[in-house]
Amino acid sequence: MPGVQCQTVSTLRRMLEDDELRAKSGLLQLHFHDAVVDLARYLHASGTIERIFARPLPVVVFDMDCPGWEEEATKAADPAELIEGFLV
């Protein structure tokens, strides 16, 4: 399917050149990150994680499109006592 790949590359090039689209994409990514961290916090606060797994566990956040964000997000998503010694 070489045509599909070329079309995808062409679309990506256009997206990278479009300032408005880049800005919207950045805002969407920030919103997604906030939503993921908020969801993890809610799962802790509501006791859902502990109820399902019979003990508190950290939520390890991962975004393959944003390397390096995992540690910051995991710290933000979990109570400090759960990730002490977990993130090194």
Side-chain angles (χ1 to χ4, degrees):
M1 294 174 132
V4 172
Q5 188 176 24
C6 291
Q7 183 180 6
T8 302
V9 170
S10 172
T11 302
L12 287 173
R13 281 194 187 122
R14 249 191 350 266
M15 287 173 60
L16 291 173
E17 293 169 0
D18 185 332
D19 291 340
E20 182 181 355
L21 190 55
R22 255 195 343 263
K24 287 180 180 179
S25 175
L27 290 173
L28 180 61
Q29 186 178 39
L30 290 173
H31 177 71
F32 174 75
H33 288 175
D34 287 343
V36 168
V37 169
D38 287 347
L39 175 60
R41 288 177 178 165
Y42 170 78
L43 293 173
H44 284 298
S46 67
T48 303
I49 292 174
E50 196 165 349
R51 188 174 67 251
I52 291 172
F53 297 104
R55 63 187 176 129
L57 293 171
V59 174
V60 178
V61 181
F62 175 75
D63 180 354
M64 66 187 231
D65 292 326
C66 192
W69 178 69
E70 295 90 357
E71 185 174 346
E72 174 188 339
T74 299
K75 286 179 180 177
D78 294 295
E81 63 273 8
L82 282 182
I83 57 172
E84 261 179 31
F86 184 76
L87 296 172
V88 206

